[in-house]
Amino acid sequence: MQNRVADIASFLDGVGLKHLRNTNQFWAYLDSRYARNQVGDLERAYLKLERGDEAAFYQEIFQSLKVSIDFASLRHDLYRSYLEWFVSSITQTPEVVVDAGCGNGLLTCFYAQHFPKARVIGFDISAAGIECAKELAGQLGVKNIEFVVSDASDLTLPIEKGSVNLITTVASLGPPPGAPVTESSAYDLISKKPRLNQILQIGNLAPYLEPENGQLISFDKVSTLAQQATWANIIQSCGLGIDLSSSAWLSYQNIESDTIALPALVAGPHVKPSSNHELLAFFATRNIDLSQWTLDFGQEGLAELVFTFVNPKTYIRGARANYTDGSGIYWYELWQAGPFNIIFEHTDQGFRTLRVASSTQKAELLRSVDDWIEQTSSYATVTELQSPEVRFDGNEK
Ligand SMILES: C[S@@+](CC[C@H](N)C(=O)[O-])C[C@H]1O[C@@H](n2cnc3c(N)ncnc32)[C@H](O)[C@@H]1O
């Protein structure tokens, strides 16, 4: 792993990315490399990006490889984080790799060097971006690489459908930054109709994947729960199941040293689609601070009220403890409520606590039931229960 991390760092340095600590440093760096009027143009292009006009921005920065690499320095830590995850999780050597929306080809060149026997194809809607990519591959002496101009919404690739082992989309096809999202419940959001052009793009890419082992990796800028849910829904509506055990949350620092976490989703035609609850549980682990969702001492009434009215919910496992000193009875229960798990503890003396966790943590929570049984057995008679003994007034099963 150490070597891989060092390899990634030296690749990024070798390509010419700089370690810049904030936007002031970035613009000072550009001032040192370009004429004043050119920096002014770049500043105006950057403002366009912030207003959501990506195409105008890329038209400006793909004017030369040098400019596009300088702007890529803004994303230095994003590349580091993604590539470290990529090399440790893609352990099978692909024969054909497609990099969708490859821009100046930085990642495409990395893939080609990392898999020297693979055929690596990068495509981008921007002809200027593809010119930069060809120049970069030439500079790095990468041979197993091809670049084509194509729009993912109207895709033609120089390869047979069903023959690509790996397609990557990094900051390319997901909802653009600033895409409007409606605040609503997560359930409404996940069932909402996704935007047509993105279905079209993933729908055009999916048939190129090899049906038995082809994988799509999306590390796109889907930064809100709403965008993540919609994006996951788009991927799955195109016949690709999202494999949550291979997917991951990646963290990196942006140019202002804020820590950003984005999902890297792994999907394939052979993967059973994840349910909405599973997807929401995966996204909820980072979007919602579940440590806040604990009702403890002094909040017994609220804990009981919430537990009673969170429905539907299903009992998973639990146990009763009869204290050997005769001081009372204690129940420890694990429940499932949609994408969440609930640990509910209550006694015959009116004590209640309630903890909510993402159901991605289910294995841990099941272990917490075992641990509780083991610890409590030293001072109580503990009996595992197949169903809850005390019913609250909801409609739990
Ligand atoms: C933020 S850049 C990312 C480039 C590259 N993936 C990287 O991470 O360095 C987004 C790229 O997606 C490209 N792009 C946007 N929409 C596209 C589409 N419909 N088809 C192909 N490329 C597209 C843009 O031209 C741009 O080069």
Side-chain angles (χ1 to χ4, degrees), residues 49 54-55 57-59 61-62 72 75 78-79 82 99-108 111 123-127 129-130 148-155 168-174 197 201 219-221:
L49 176 71
E54 270 201 21
F57 170 71
Y58 285 111
Q59 197 174 337
I61 67 153
F62 289 148
R75 291 140 53 90
L78 176 149
Y79 290 124
Y82 166 71
D99 187 18
C102 64
N104 64 8
L106 187 152
L107 290 173
T108 334
Y111 302 146
F123 78 89
D124 200 282
I125 194 169
S126 160
I130 291 299
V148 286
V149 179
S150 194
D151 176 353
S153 308
D154 182 21
L155 187 66
T168 60
T169 132
V170 175
S172 302
L173 303 183
N197 65 332
Q201 291 171 357
F219 184 47
D220 283 292
K221 291 224 163 166

Side-chain angles (χ1 to χ4, degrees), residues 294-308 330 344-354 392:
T294 298
L295 297 169
D296 217 325
F297 297 100
Q299 295 172 304
E300 285 85 357
L302 191 54
E304 180 172 328
L305 198 68
V306 170
F307 180 75
T308 303
Y330 196 111
F344 187 51
E345 299 171 55
H346 54 104
T347 70
D348 60 349
Q349 315 287 311
F351 169 78
R352 281 110 179 75
T353 71
L354 177 138
F392 291 81

Side-chain angles (χ1 to χ4, degrees), residues 111-128:
Y111 302 146
Q113 286 192 342
H114 189 63
F115 303 119
K117 297 218 168 91
R119 176 179 177 194
V120 179
I121 303 166
F123 78 89
D124 200 282
I125 194 169
S126 160

Side-chain angles (χ1 to χ4, degrees), residues 82-121:
Y82 166 71
L83 288 176
E84 285 180 8
W85 168 78
F86 179 88
V87 297
S88 60
S89 50
I90 303 298
T91 46
Q92 304 236 344
T93 307
E95 283 171 32
V96 183
V97 181
V98 168
D99 187 18
C102 64
N104 64 8
L106 187 152
L107 290 173
T108 334
C109 288
F110 180 89
Y111 302 146
Q113 286 192 342
H114 189 63
F115 303 119
K117 297 218 168 91
R119 176 179 177 194
V120 179
I121 303 166

Side-chain angles (χ1 to χ4, degrees), residues 326-344:
S327 62
I329 308 174
Y330 196 111
W331 288 270
Y332 189 102
E333 298 168 358
L334 174 62
W335 292 75
Q336 179 87 41
F340 301 107
N341 283 131
I342 294 174
I343 295 274
F344 187 51

